C-alpha cells in the first residue's frame, strides 16, 4: 500500500481547541488536508515538545460530528432548536441588515459585543465593535473578574505589568547566562495541572523546582503546590489582601525590605496633606505650577522640593527627599498645612495589621505567616506567581496593590528570577490591554464616553476599555441611560460558564431584538441566538501572537467545512459597517500590527518565532533603571509620577483608597453571621480541570472520560456529618439557588469549605429550551449574584460564598 | 505471557507528576484508543499524614496497553507519553541504565508488559 504523503505544519497554539492562553509550539501532521495527529514541537523554546491533554485531543475536537460547519439561521421560536443552513453571504447580509437597523434606530452603543476569556480574539471583537461604532465590548464575567483587573491594578501603581520570570524571554531559556533561578516562588492561589494563565506555561515552575526553587503555597486547598511547599498557608478564601499586608508588616518591622529601592524608585517621600488627606501637588504651593507635579521635603534645605513628573526628577535634582516625618508647608494662598510622607502614611496603614489580627482574619497561624514572609523576603531572587482568585473578590485592586508592593519592597521587580516586566514582544500590540496603546482602538472620544460604566468607574474610563458587565445586565432591563437591543456573542457562554445569576442572563438575552453568535459548537447560549456562525480552531487560521515573548505566528494548517477564523468573520463585517475601514486584507492588518518588530507576517511566519534583543523595551532586566519603560526614555516607570506608587495618585483621582489594605468580602462567615446556621460552609468555585477548560470540552470523548461529572469536593468529616458518601449526588444550596453535584469526598479541601467545579452543561442532552443541554442542573453560578463588583467596578465574590450541602434524596425535582 | 526478561522500561519521577493527563491522551492519540483506555493511567493518591496533613501524589502507571512505543523509539523519538509529559517526569530507556539514574527519592522504575 502506498504511504500517504504527510505534511508537517509548525504552528503555535492559541485557542480555539485546547482553550488555553496558548504559546506552545506544535507540529500538526496533515494527510490529504486532514489533521491526523498533533505533537509538541521539541525545538520550541516555550514548551520544548510538551503538550497538554486538551491539545493532544485536537483530532477529536477538529472533526467532532457536532462541530458547526455552516452558518445557521433560526427558523423556529428562540431557543426552540430549529435552524436552517444558510450561506456565508446570506449570514453576513442578515447581520448587516439587523444590526444596521439597530444602529440606525438606537445608536451603535445599543449593541453589546461580548467576549469570554477571549484569548486570541479580543482584538478582532474590538475591531468589529469599533467599526460598527459601539464602545461596548464586554467581558461577561461579573466585575470583569479575570486577569484584566490585576493587570490594571499593577499598571496603576507601576506602569507596566509583570510576571514570574521563568527565563521565557530567552531562546536558550534556563541556560541563558543572564538568567537566575528563583530561590523561592510564592504560589498565590494557583493550581498547576490544568492551567497556563497569565501567558505563563504552568509547568515552567516545575522546571524551576527541579533546579532548586522552594515553594510557598497560599491556597485554602491542598493543591499540588501546597503538598510540596516549604510553607503552606491555608487561608480563608477572600482574605488574600490581609495576608499580603501581613507579609508587609513582617517585612517592614524586621527591616527586610530594600531601603535603597524604596527611596529611589517609589513615591514614598511624597507629601500628603493632612487636611485633605490627598497628595500635595506643586500647584498647591505655587500658582501656575503643574498639578501633575508632586512635592517632597528636602532634608538638606529643610524646605519643600517639587518632583517634576514629566522630567522624572526633583527640582533641583540634588535635593535629599525625606522618607519620614511631618512637615509644615505654606501653600500658595498663604495657608499653612501639616503634611506627612507617603511612607509614613503607608506604614500607618500596614501597622493596622498586626499578625494576631491578620491571623484572626485569614485563619492562618501567626507563626506561619511570619515564617513565610521571612522566607520570601530573604530569598534572593524570589518571585510571586498568582492565580485568578486574586481577581475574584470585590477588593481586587487593594489586594493586588498589596501583592505588587511585596515584589517592589523586596527589590524583586524586573530582576533575574523575580517578577519581570512583561511587555508585548517588540511592543507589538494588536489591541490595547488596560492602559495601553494599540493599532485597534476606538478613536471616537464621544462614543467612548458612552461605554457602560465609564461614567461611574475611573479604571473603566481611563484604563480598561470594556463595558462593565454587571451594569450591562441591569441596563438591558432598565434601558437607562439608553436601550440595549442587540448582542454579538463570540465564543462566550454566559448561560453555562461565565454568567453569574445565569437565569437572569437568559431573561436578558431573550429581551434583545437580535443576537448573532460565533462558536465552534452549539452551546446553551448559542441556542438563544438568531444566527450562529461556525468558527475555526487555531489549526484553521493565521494569526499573530505577542503575549508576551516571543513574537510568534499562528499558521493555517487545515480547513474544516465552511468554518471561518474569527478574524475573517469580523473583518468582513467590519468592512460592511465602516466605510472608512482601513485595511484591505487580513495580512495587511497583521503587517501593520507587526510593524514595530520590523517583520512582515510572511517573514515572521518563516522564522517561526523571534525574541527581542538586549536593549529592547520587551527584553529584561532593570528596565526602569535603563530608561526602557517610558516613552521619553528617561529612567523610571510609566506612572503619572514616573515612580512606583505606594500611594496611587490615579486611585486618589478616582476617589478610591490609594493605599493597599484589606476589605472583608460580602458573603463570608464574618459579614453574614446570620446565614451561618443554614449555610455553614464556605462555597468556592472555579477549581480547574486538567482536561476541561471552563465550559468547553464536555463533548470531547477522550477528555470527558477523564473528568466525566460535575464534582464538589467535600472533606471526609464534613461529608460524614451529613451522611454523604464518595460519588453520591448532593445538592449545593444557598439563599439564591441550588444545583446538583457529585460528591468527591477528599482531604484536599478543609472541613469548612467545599469546592464546586464550574462550566457544566451536557452536550449529549437535548439543546432546546427549557432543557438547554441540562445547564441548570449542575450550574453552581445559580448560587452567585451579579452586582457585587468592587468600588472600582472590578472584581466579584466568586471564591467565597456560603452554602450547605446535602444528599439528593430522590423525588426532588431537578432544576428546570 | 512472556517470561522474557524485560529490557526497556520507564523511569518516573513522581515527585513532580502533576496529574495533568497529557501522557494518557498522548497515548490515546498515538494508538487511537477508545475513551477511557490508554497505555498510561494516572493514579491519584491523597495520603493522610499526622497532624491533619496530607500529601497529594500522582503516579503515572503503564497499563496492559503500554507497548513502550517501540515504533517511535526505533525512529529516535521518545514514547508519546514521555515526549508530551508536561512535567518531563517520564524517561524511557534500558532498565539497567535507568536504574542508575535513580538519584533522588520519589522515583519509580516500571518494566511494563513488553
Amino acid at each position: 500500500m502506498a504511504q500517504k504523503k504527510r505534511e508537517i505544519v509548525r504552528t503555535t497554539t492559541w485557542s480555539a481547541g485546547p482553550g488555553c492562553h496558548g504559546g506552545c509550539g506544535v507540529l500538526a501532521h496533515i494527510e490529504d488536508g486532514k489533521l491526523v495527529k498533533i505533537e509538541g514541537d521539541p525545538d520550541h523554546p516555550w514548551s520544548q515538545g510538551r503538550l497538554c491533554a486538551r491539545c493532544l485531543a485536537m483530532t477529536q475536537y477538529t472533526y467532532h460530528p457536532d462541530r458547526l460547519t455552516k452558518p445557521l439561521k433560526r427558523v423556529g421560536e428562540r431557543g426552540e432548536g430549529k435552524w436552517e443552513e444558510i450561506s456565508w453571504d446570506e449570514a453576513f447580509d442578515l447581520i448587516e441588515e439587523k444590526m444596521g437597523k439597530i444602529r440606525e434606530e438606537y445608536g451603535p452603543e445599543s449593541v453589546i459585543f461580548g467576549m469570554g476569556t477571549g484569548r486570541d480574539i479580543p482584538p478582532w471583537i474590538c475591531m468589529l465593535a469599533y467599526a460598527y461604532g459601539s464602545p461596548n465590548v464586554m467581558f461577561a464575567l461579573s466585575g470583569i473578574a479575570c486577569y484584566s483587573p490585576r493587570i490594571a491594578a499593577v499598571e496603576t501603581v507601576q506602569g507596566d505589568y509583570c510576571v514570574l520570570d521563568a527565563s521565557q524571554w530567552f531562546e536558550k531559556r534556563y541556560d541563558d547566562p543572564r538568567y537566575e533561578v528563583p530561590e523561592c516562588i510564592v504560589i498565590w492561589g494557583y493550581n498547576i495541572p490544568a492551567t497556563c494563565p497569565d501567558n505563563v506555561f504552568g509547568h515552567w515552575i516545575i522546571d524551576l523546582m527541579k533546579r532548586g526553587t522552594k515553594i510557598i503555597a497560599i491556597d485554602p486547598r491542598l493543591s499540588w503546590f501546597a503538598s510540596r511547599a516549604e510553607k503552606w498557608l491555608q487561608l480563608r478564601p477572600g482574605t488574600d489582601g490581609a495576608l499580603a499586608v501581613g507579609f508587609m508588616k513582617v517585612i517592614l518591622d524586621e527591616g527586610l525590605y530594600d531601603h535603597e529601592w524604596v527611596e529611589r524608585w517609589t513615591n514614598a517621600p511624597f507629601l500628603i496633606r493632612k487636611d485633605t488627606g490627598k497628595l500635595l501637588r506643586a500647584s498647591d504651593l505655587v500658582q501656575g505650577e503643574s498639578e501633575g507635579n508632586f512635592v517632597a521635603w528636602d532634608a538638606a534645605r529643610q524646605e519643600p522640593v517639587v518632583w517634576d513628573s514629566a522630567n522624572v526628577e526633583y527640582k533641583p535634582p540634588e535635593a535629599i527627599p525625606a522618607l519620614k516625618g511631618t512637615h509644615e508647608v505654606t501653600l500658595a494662598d498663604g495657608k499653612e498645612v501639616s503634611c506627612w510622607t507617603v511612607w509614613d502614611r503607608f506604614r500607618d496603614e500596614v501597622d493596622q495589621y498586626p499578625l494576631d489580627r491578620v491571623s484572626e482574619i485569614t485563619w492562618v497561624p501567626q507563626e506561619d505567616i511570619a515564617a513565610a514572609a521571612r522566607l520570601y523576603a530573604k530569598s534572593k531572587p524570589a518571585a510571586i506567581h498568582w492565580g485568578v482568585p486574586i481577581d475574584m473578590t470585590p477588593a481586587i485592586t487593594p489586594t493586588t496593590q498589596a501583592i505588587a508592593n511585596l515584589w517592589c519592597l523586596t527589590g524583586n521587580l524586573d530582576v533575574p528570577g523575580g517578577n519581570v516586566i512583561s511587555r508585548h514582544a517588540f511592543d507589538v500590540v494588536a489591541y490595547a490591554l488596560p492602559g495601553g496603546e494599540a493599532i485597534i482602538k476606538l478613536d471616537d472620544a464621544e462614543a467612548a464616553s458612552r461605554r457602560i460604566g465609564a461614567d461611574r468607574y475611573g479604571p473603566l474610563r481611563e484604563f480598561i476599555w470594556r463595558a462593565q458587565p454587571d451594569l450591562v445586565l441591569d441596563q438591558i432591563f432598565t434601558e437607562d441611560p439608553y436601550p440595549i437591543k442587540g448582542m454579538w456573542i463570540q465564543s462566550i457562554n454566559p448561560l453555562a460558564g461565565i454568567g453569574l445569576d445565569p437565569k437572569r442572563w437568559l431573561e436578558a438575552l431573550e429581551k434583545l431584538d437580535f443576537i448573532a453568535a460565533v462558536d465552534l459548537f452549539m452551546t446553551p447560549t448559542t441556542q438563544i441566538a438568531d444566527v450562529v456562525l461556525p468558527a475555526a480552531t487555531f489549526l484553521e487560521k493565521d494569526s499573530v501572537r505577542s503575549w508576551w515573548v516571543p513574537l510568534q505566528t499562528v499558521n493555517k494548517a487545515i480547513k474544516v467545512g465552511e468554518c471561518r477564523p474569527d478574524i475573517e468573520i469580523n473583518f468582513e463585517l467590519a468592512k460592511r459597517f465602516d466605510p472608512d475601514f482601513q485595511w484591505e486584507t487580513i495580512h495587511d492588518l497583521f503587517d501593520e500590527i507587526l510593524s514595530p518588530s520590523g517583520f512582515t507576517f510572511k517573514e515572521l511566519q518563516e522564522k517561526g518565532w523571534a525574541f527581542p534583543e538586549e536593549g529592547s523595551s520587551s527584553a529584561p532586566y532593570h528596565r526602569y533603571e535603563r530608561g526602557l519603560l517610558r516613552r521619553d526614555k528617561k529612567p523610571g516607570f510609566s506612572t503619572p509620577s514616573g515612580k512606583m506608587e505606594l500611594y496611587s495618585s490615579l486611585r486618589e483621582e478616582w476617589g478610591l483608597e490609594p493605599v493597599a489594605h484589606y476589605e472583608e468580602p460580602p458573603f463570608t462567615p464574618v459579614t453574614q453571621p446570620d446565614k451561618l446556621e443554614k449555610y455553614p460552609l464556605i462555597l468556592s468555585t472555579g477549581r480547574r480541570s486538567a482536561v476541561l477548560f471552563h465550559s468547553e470540552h464536555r463533548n470531547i470523548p477522550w477528555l470527558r472520560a477523564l473528568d466525566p461529572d460535575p464534582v464538589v469536593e467535600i472533606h471526609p468529616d464534613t461529608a460524614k456529618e451529613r451522611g454523604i458518601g464518595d460519588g453520591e449526588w448532593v445538592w449545593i444550596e444557598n439563599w439564591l439557588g441550588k444545583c446538583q453535584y457529585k460528591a468527591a469526598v477528599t482531604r484536599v479541601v478543609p472541613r469548612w469549605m467545599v469546592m464546586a467545579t464550574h462550566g457544566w452543561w451536557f452536550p449529549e442532552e437535548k439543546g432546546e429550551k427549557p432543557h438547554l443541554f441540562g445547564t441548570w442542573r449542575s450550574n453552581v453560578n445559580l448560587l452567585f449574584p451579579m452586582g457585587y463588583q468592587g468600588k472600582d467596578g472590578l472584581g466579584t465574590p466568586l471564591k467565597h460564598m456560603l452554602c450547605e450541602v446535602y444528599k439528593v434524596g430522590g423525588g426532588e425535582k431537578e432544576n428546570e | 505471557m512472556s517470561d522474557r526478561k524485560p529490557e526497556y522500561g520507564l523511569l518516573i519521577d513522581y515527585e513532580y507528576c502533576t496529574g495533568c493527563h497529557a501522557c494518557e491522551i498522548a497515548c490515546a492519540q498515538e494508538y487511537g484508543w477508545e475513551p477511557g483506555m490508554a497505555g498510561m493511567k494516572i493514579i491519584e493518591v491523597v495520603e493522610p499524614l499526622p497532624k491533619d496533613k496530607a500529601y497529594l501524589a500522582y503516579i503515572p502507571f503503564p497499563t496492559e496497553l503500554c507497548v513502550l512505543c517501540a515504533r517511535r523509539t526505533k525512529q529516535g523519538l521518545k514514547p508519546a507519553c514521555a515526549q508530551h509529559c508536561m512535567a518531563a517526569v517520564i524517561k524511557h530507556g534500558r532498565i539497567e541504565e535507568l536504574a542508575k539514574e535513580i538519584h533522588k527519592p520519589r522515583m519509580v522504575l516500571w518494566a511494563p508488559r513488553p
Side-chain angles (χ1 to χ4, degrees):
Chain A
M1 200 174 76
Q3 193 81 7
K4 277 190 184 168
K5 194 168 172 282
R6 184 174 289 199
E7 183 198 357
I8 293 178
V9 179
R10 170 175 281 179
T11 185
T12 308
T13 60
W14 206 7
S15 228
C20 60
H21 291 274
C24 294
V26 299
L27 302 174
H29 295 234
I30 313 295
E31 280 179 8
D32 291 338
K34 259 193 100 169
L35 176 75
V36 292
K37 186 173 172 177
I38 190 161
E39 294 235 327
D41 178 356
D43 297 328
H44 199 279
W46 179 283
S47 45
Q48 296 107 359
R50 300 178 265 190
L51 209 55
C52 75
R54 297 184 306 274
C55 202
L56 287 162
M58 276 306 288
T59 50
Q60 284 194 342
Y61 190 107
T62 309
Y63 303 112
H64 195 288
D66 294 343
R67 181 94 192 265
L68 295 169
T69 55
K70 286 192 161 118
L72 297 175
K73 178 178 136 183
R74 173 171 68 82
V75 287
E77 292 296 309
R78 247 196 202 149
E80 208 185 359
K82 290 185 181 157
W83 304 93
E84 181 188 294
E85 288 182 355
I86 54 174
S87 72
W88 276 103
D89 281 342
E90 285 171 301
F92 287 136
D93 289 347
L94 179 69
I95 292 166
E96 190 183 357
E97 181 210 319
K98 295 283 186 186
M99 281 175 50
K101 193 161 165 256
I102 293 174
R103 182 164 68 175
E104 214 167 280
E105 278 182 34
Y106 303 98
E109 64 274 15
S110 292
V111 174
I112 304 290
F113 290 77
M115 61 179 216
T117 181
R119 298 154 264 172
D120 61 322
I121 62 172
W124 324 135
I125 299 175
C126 292
M127 174 182 75
L128 175 57
Y130 301 162
Y132 180 78
S134 175
N136 287 319
V137 176
M138 173 185 70
F139 173 73
L141 181 59
S142 173
I144 319 178
C146 179
Y147 206 25
S148 57
R150 252 181 303 158
I151 297 178
V154 171
E155 295 194 342
T156 300
V157 295
Q158 69 184 42
D160 280 283
Y161 192 64
C162 63
V163 295
L164 158 75
D165 181 12
S167 76
Q168 60 268 47
W169 333 99
F170 308 123
E171 181 125 33
K172 288 189 189 154
R173 298 297 306 266
Y174 308 110
D175 298 331
D176 191 290
R178 290 167 286 184
Y179 182 64
E180 266 182 69
V181 171
E183 246 180 72
C184 156
I185 301 177
V186 181
I187 304 289
W188 206 309
Y190 166 65
N191 190 18
I192 196 156
T195 59
C196 298
D198 302 14
N199 296 289
V200 167
F201 184 86
H203 284 74
W204 290 340
I205 301 169
I206 290 165
D207 301 345
L208 295 174
M209 289 168 74
K210 290 179 183 171
R211 288 164 171 79
T213 299
K214 293 188 182 112
I215 298 295
I216 297 170
I218 298 173
D219 205 314
R221 286 177 77 250
L222 177 76
S223 65
W224 187 89
F225 284 118
S227 198
R228 282 148 186 79
E230 195 85 1
K231 305 278 172 217
W232 172 29
L233 309 183
Q234 190 173 27
L235 86 173
R236 175 167 68 90
T239 63
D240 307 74
L243 188 63
V245 184
F247 267 44
M248 281 200 272
K249 176 79 178 143
V250 174
I251 288 167
L252 295 179
D253 284 355
E254 300 184 11
L256 299 175
Y257 62 99
D258 186 331
H259 294 68
E260 199 196 319
W261 205 94
V262 167
E263 284 177 30
R264 183 153 176 217
W265 297 110
T266 74
N267 67 346
F270 289 6
L271 293 174
I272 298 169
R273 295 170 57 158
K274 285 195 169 168
D275 61 337
T276 59
K278 294 189 166 177
L279 286 164
L280 181 66
R281 311 257 174 175
S283 52
D284 293 337
L285 285 189
V286 183
Q287 252 167 13
E289 254 281 12
S290 165
E291 213 186 321
N293 289 344
F294 302 92
V295 183
W297 186 260
D298 184 354
R301 291 198 267 180
Q302 289 295 310
E303 61 180 29
V305 56
V306 169
W307 170 259
D308 181 349
S309 297
N311 287 307
V312 230
E313 63 181 16
Y314 286 103
K315 284 193 301 198
E318 59 275 14
I320 300 172
L323 201 59
K324 298 174 192 171
T326 296
H327 305 280
E328 304 304 317
V329 174
T330 310
L331 305 184
D333 60 8
K335 192 178 163 192
E336 192 133 303
V337 293
S338 189
C339 297
W340 59 339
T341 63
V342 161
W343 184 248
D344 283 348
R345 163 80 177 79
F346 174 69
R347 289 281 334 222
D348 186 63
E349 186 74 44
V350 174
D351 285 340
Q352 311 299 312
Y353 297 84
L355 287 199
D356 55 345
R357 183 178 169 220
V358 176
S359 177
E360 197 187 310
I361 296 170
T362 60
W363 300 356
V364 180
Q366 284 187 51
E367 55 278 15
D368 291 355
I369 301 169
R374 286 179 199 128
L375 176 60
Y376 170 66
K378 289 180 179 173
S379 299
K380 299 289 172 202
I384 297 175
H385 184 61
W386 50 8
V388 79
I390 306 296
D391 299 291
M392 292 180 169
T393 196
I396 149 66
T397 306
T399 303
T400 297
Q401 275 181 284
I403 296 173
N405 288 344
L406 287 173
W407 59 63
C408 292
L409 290 173
T410 54
N412 278 307
L413 181 60
D414 214 31
V415 299
N419 281 80
V420 166
I421 284 169
S422 51
R423 309 256 304 205
H424 291 75
F426 300 92
D427 286 318
V428 164
V429 189
Y431 80 118
L433 283 171
E437 279 293 326
I439 305 290
I440 293 166
K441 62 181 291 189
L442 184 62
D443 276 329
D444 181 346
E446 210 221 317
S449 71
R450 288 194 292 274
R451 180 182 299 113
I452 296 170
D455 56 338
R456 197 182 301 188
Y457 299 120
L460 272 75
R461 193 160 54 242
E462 293 170 35
F463 251 80
I464 302 184
W465 300 325
R466 293 283 175 274
Q468 209 291 337
D470 302 84
L471 300 187
V472 171
L473 184 59
D474 278 343
Q475 193 170 326
I476 291 173
F477 294 100
T478 62
E479 307 205 335
D480 178 30
Y482 54 81
I484 306 296
K485 292 292 177 186
M487 202 177 289
W488 174 265
I489 295 183
Q490 199 152 12
S491 303
I492 66 170
N493 192 354
L495 301 191
I498 204 169
L500 306 187
D501 196 358
K503 289 197 172 176
R504 192 145 168 267
W505 275 107
L506 174 60
E507 213 183 310
L509 294 180
E510 289 186 315
K511 256 192 112 265
L512 301 174
D513 291 350
F514 182 69
I515 300 170
V518 186
D519 216 313
L520 293 100
F521 296 98
M522 275 292 179
T523 70
T525 302
T526 58
Q527 282 293 336
I528 310 304
D530 302 300
V531 187
V532 184
L533 306 177
T537 67
F538 78 93
L539 292 167
E540 299 155 49
K541 65 183 166 196
D542 282 343
S543 195
V544 294
R545 179 184 164 82
S546 60
W547 254 40
W548 314 95
V549 172
L551 185 65
Q552 306 180 75
T553 59
V554 178
N555 309 314
K556 193 183 275 192
I558 50 170
K559 180 158 175 60
V560 176
E562 290 183 25
C563 301
R564 290 197 187 179
D566 296 89
I567 184 173
E568 287 181 23
I569 298 168
N570 294 20
F571 202 87
E572 169 64 26
L573 283 168
K575 277 194 196 168
R576 289 177 181 230
F577 285 126
D578 179 7
D580 301 323
F581 190 69
Q582 50 181 310
W583 298 284
E584 272 302 308
T585 69
I586 287 160
H587 284 162
D588 291 343
L589 172 60
F590 290 157
D591 285 344
E592 186 166 341
I593 290 170
L594 286 172
S595 60
S597 72
F599 296 109
T600 63
F601 181 75
K602 285 282 165 221
E603 287 164 355
L604 184 64
Q605 201 173 30
E606 270 164 41
K607 204 172 151 62
W609 53 80
F611 284 85
E613 284 179 9
E614 184 67 38
S616 154
S617 55
S618 54
Y621 293 100
H622 304 288
R623 275 163 282 185
Y624 47 88
E625 290 176 30
R626 296 152 69 200
L628 290 169
L629 298 179
R630 295 170 53 89
R631 259 178 229 143
D632 58 17
K633 306 283 178 207
K634 290 187 196 300
F637 295 91
S638 302
T639 55
S641 63
K643 297 272 201 183
M644 186 273 151
E645 298 190 352
L646 291 172
Y647 177 107
S648 168
S649 57
L650 283 169
R651 297 264 301 168
E652 181 186 87
E653 272 176 39
W654 297 333
L656 300 164
E657 303 93 335
V659 175
H661 62 277
Y662 174 64
E663 294 171 26
E664 182 70 25
F667 305 109
T668 71
V670 177
T671 38
Q672 304 284 346
D674 297 349
K675 291 199 162 69
L676 287 182
E677 200 184 329
K678 274 183 93 173
Y679 308 109
L681 297 169
I682 295 177
L683 167 63
S684 199
T685 177
R687 185 272 275 160
R688 298 302 194 250
S689 158
V691 294
L692 313 170
F693 191 78
H694 294 309
S695 66
E696 295 177 59
H697 303 115
R698 302 303 188 286
N699 53 353
I700 307 301
W702 282 332
L703 301 176
R704 181 73 180 277
L706 290 169
D707 200 352
D709 299 306
V711 294
V712 57
E713 295 167 345
I714 309 173
H715 188 278
D717 294 349
T718 309
K720 197 173 165 195
E721 278 169 20
R722 290 158 176 79
I724 297 167
D726 189 38
E728 289 189 305
W729 287 91
V730 297
W731 288 106
I732 311 173
E733 183 173 328
N734 71 9
W735 60 98
L736 295 171
K738 62 178 185 172
C739 55
Q740 273 186 27
Y741 273 69
K742 207 172 199 179
V745 175
T746 169
R747 286 174 193 278
V748 303
V749 281
R751 289 172 181 79
W752 36 262
M753 170 183 141
V754 296
M755 168 58 83
T757 53
H758 67 295
W760 276 93
W761 57 291
F762 304 89
E764 66 275 19
E765 297 182 11
K766 59 177 196 262
E768 58 267 28
K769 265 186 25 178
H771 197 69
L772 294 173
F773 300 108
T775 194
W776 306 129
R777 190 162 71 241
S778 302
N779 192 331
V780 74
N781 288 358
L782 292 164
L783 283 72
F784 288 84
M786 292 287 289
Y788 284 85
Q789 65 273 22
K791 295 170 196 163
D792 52 8
L794 305 174
T796 194
L798 201 48
K799 293 287 180 183
H800 28 74
M801 186 26 98
L802 295 170
C803 77
E804 179 55 292
V805 293
Y806 56 95
K807 238 157 97 162
V808 172
E812 305 105 313
K813 266 185 76 180
E814 271 185 10
N815 282 351
E816 275 283 303
Chain B
M1 184 175 286
S2 165
D3 292 320
R4 199 155 47 88
K5 190 180 168 195
E7 250 187 279
Y8 291 92
L10 295 171
L11 178 63
I12 313 276
D13 183 350
Y14 66 83
E15 179 178 3
Y16 295 111
C17 173
T18 61
C20 77
H21 299 287
C23 54
E24 298 178 57
I25 304 298
C27 183
Q29 178 188 229
E30 188 73 20
Y31 297 99
W33 296 120
E34 284 172 35
M37 291 184 190
M40 193 63 103
K41 187 100 194 156
I42 296 290
I43 300 166
E44 183 187 89
V45 181
V46 183
E47 184 62 38
L49 300 174
K51 295 186 188 164
D52 210 21
K53 298 266 173 9
Y55 187 79
L56 174 63
Y58 295 98
I59 322 282
F61 166 70
T63 72
E64 286 301 294
L65 299 176
C66 174
V67 293
L68 285 167
C69 277
R71 197 172 56 195
R72 288 178 67 101
T73 57
K74 267 182 207 152
Q75 292 172 44
L77 297 171
K78 292 177 186 170
C81 62
Q83 158 156 3
H84 293 104
C85 174
M86 296 282 278
V89 301
I90 305 175
K91 188 164 183 190
H92 172 265
R94 285 185 178 278
I95 286 177
E96 289 78 10
E97 298 302 313
L98 292 177
K100 290 180 206 153
E101 290 189 38
I102 302 181
H103 54 84
K104 62 175 278 296
R106 299 194 182 101
M107 296 180 92
V108 60
L109 176 53
W110 298 113
R113 185 190 73 101

